[in-house]
Amino acid sequence: MYSWAYQYYRRKLNGKQQKVYDRIYRCWFTNNRDIQLPPFLLDVDTASEVVQAVIKDHPEIFWVNYYRYTIRHSVLNDRLHFEFYFDDYENKQLSIEASSWKKRIVSKLPKHFSNRDKAWVLFDYLARQVTYGKQNDGYSQTIIGPMSKNNHISVCEGIAKSYKYLCDEAGIPCIIVFGDVNFGENRSGPHAWNIIDTGSELRHVDVTAELESAHYKGKASQSNFLYTDKDMKNYIWNRKRTPLCY
């Protein structure tokens, strides 16, 4: 049974955009870098919105560099070409590793825990495990960085994707939010976080904001866990595209 969060951003698209979304999704899962679409179906704005929707809905697709792609138009069709971070063999190996990682972490959650309690355990785990830092984009911007056996280094996008990846496995409705944040001098700019469904309420969760405190104290606090929209005073995002958290 699918939750409201399943392919949440797909449902925000119009019918034409959903067709493009489905085509991109299917091609990416077969490691197809070149995607053909019917002519006149695609423009730059449509492509950007749809590509981001697929990426936010499916953190398990870690091999696509969605920041860099080309669009070619012709009378016969439109073509999208994407660059991949990893080759086909690496994709397969990392997919196996990622799946094993999420199953191992989620299997440790007590069965009697509520969604809220499970979400907190996953929040605490990532906050303690991950160090904020930049690697190559294939690691920093995806689930591969946080789960990496080498150093667990990632930036906010990879962390938010990893939180959703784990929540999806645990059955906790969760989406990724892209926006901006201002934490003060030298700590402002683009940011990514999550919205989860605790079972009784929808709330914002920002694992990245908790990293420094969790590493210093050895455990996470709940200061960046379960925010309402009103609590998000330093955050800016398209509120029309996300559910209300009140």
Side-chain angles (χ1 to χ4, degrees):
M1 183 177 180
Y2 294 131
S3 76
W4 62 267
Y6 176 74
Q7 293 194 340
Y8 173 85
Y9 287 102
R10 182 186 184 277
R11 296 197 302 275
K12 294 295 180 179
L13 304 174
N14 61 39
K16 182 179 75 171
Q17 292 171 325
Q18 288 182 355
K19 291 180 180 179
V20 177
Y21 177 111
D22 294 340
R23 178 64 176 164
I24 291 174
Y25 176 69
R26 288 193 298 269
C27 286
W28 282 353
F29 255 104
T30 56
N31 291 326
N32 192 342
R33 294 166 172 79
D34 294 288
I35 302 171
Q36 290 190 45
L37 296 163
F40 313 114
L41 192 62
L42 199 62
D43 55 49
V44 174
D45 291 338
T46 297
S48 177
E49 185 173 2
V50 173
V51 166
Q52 277 209 23
V54 180
I55 286 293
K56 288 189 285 189
D57 282 342
H58 296 281
E60 70 275 15
I61 301 176
F62 58 81
W63 51 89
V64 180
N65 181 354
Y66 75 97
Y67 292 102
R68 298 184 64 181
Y69 58 89
T70 58
I71 305 174
R72 294 182 180 178
H73 300 285
S74 73
V75 176
L76 297 177
N77 56 48
D78 291 335
R79 289 175 178 265
L80 279 169
H81 175 76
F82 291 89
E83 294 182 9
F84 284 6
Y85 292 125
F86 310 102
D87 62 33
D88 292 351
Y89 176 78
E90 289 173 318
N91 284 346
K92 183 177 180 180
Q93 295 303 116
L94 288 170
S95 292
I96 293 171
E97 183 180 339
S99 180
S100 176
W101 173 67
K102 73 174 180 180
K103 292 181 183 299
R104 175 172 55 84
I105 299 304
V106 172
S107 68
K108 297 178 181 179
L109 295 174
K111 303 299 182 183
H112 67 280
F113 269 23
S114 65
N115 275 0
R116 185 191 187 285
D117 291 338
K118 291 178 181 178
W120 164 249
V121 173
L122 296 178
F123 177 89
D124 177 63
Y125 164 76
L126 281 179
R128 288 184 292 103
Q129 184 82 2
V130 180
T131 299
Y132 189 90
K134 182 73 173 177
Q135 303 189 73
N136 64 66
D137 287 347
Y139 280 71
S140 295
Q141 309 287 1
T142 74
I143 62 173
I144 302 304
M147 74 135 195
S148 171
K149 295 177 181 178
N150 298 324
N151 47 31
H152 305 286
I153 294 175
S154 186
V155 298
C156 59
E157 183 175 337
I159 295 166
K161 287 176 177 177
S162 296
Y163 191 69
K164 174 173 169 58
Y165 188 58
L166 294 174
C167 283
D168 286 349
E169 178 69 14
I172 303 167
C174 177
I175 65 171
I176 298 166
V177 183
F178 287 167
D180 292 278
V181 68
N182 184 0
F183 288 139
E185 186 177 356
N186 298 323
R187 298 183 64 193
S188 61
H191 195 51
W193 64 96
N194 302 91
I195 290 177
I196 65 167
D197 188 341
T198 68
S200 60
E201 57 195 8
L202 301 182
R203 289 290 185 266
H204 296 267
V205 172
D206 188 354
V207 179
T208 303
E210 188 61 24
L211 296 186
E212 186 176 343
S213 175
H215 281 262
Y216 178 74
K217 297 178 180 178
K219 63 180 180 180
S221 69
Q222 298 200 11
S223 58
N224 295 292
F225 185 66
L226 303 186
Y227 278 173
T228 66
D229 288 341
K230 290 183 178 179
D231 295 327
M232 303 289 282
K233 296 177 181 179
N234 296 323
Y235 296 73
I236 299 172
W237 73 99
N238 187 346
R239 299 188 180 214
K240 294 181 180 179
R241 307 295 286 182
T242 59
L244 292 173
C245 301
Y246 53 86

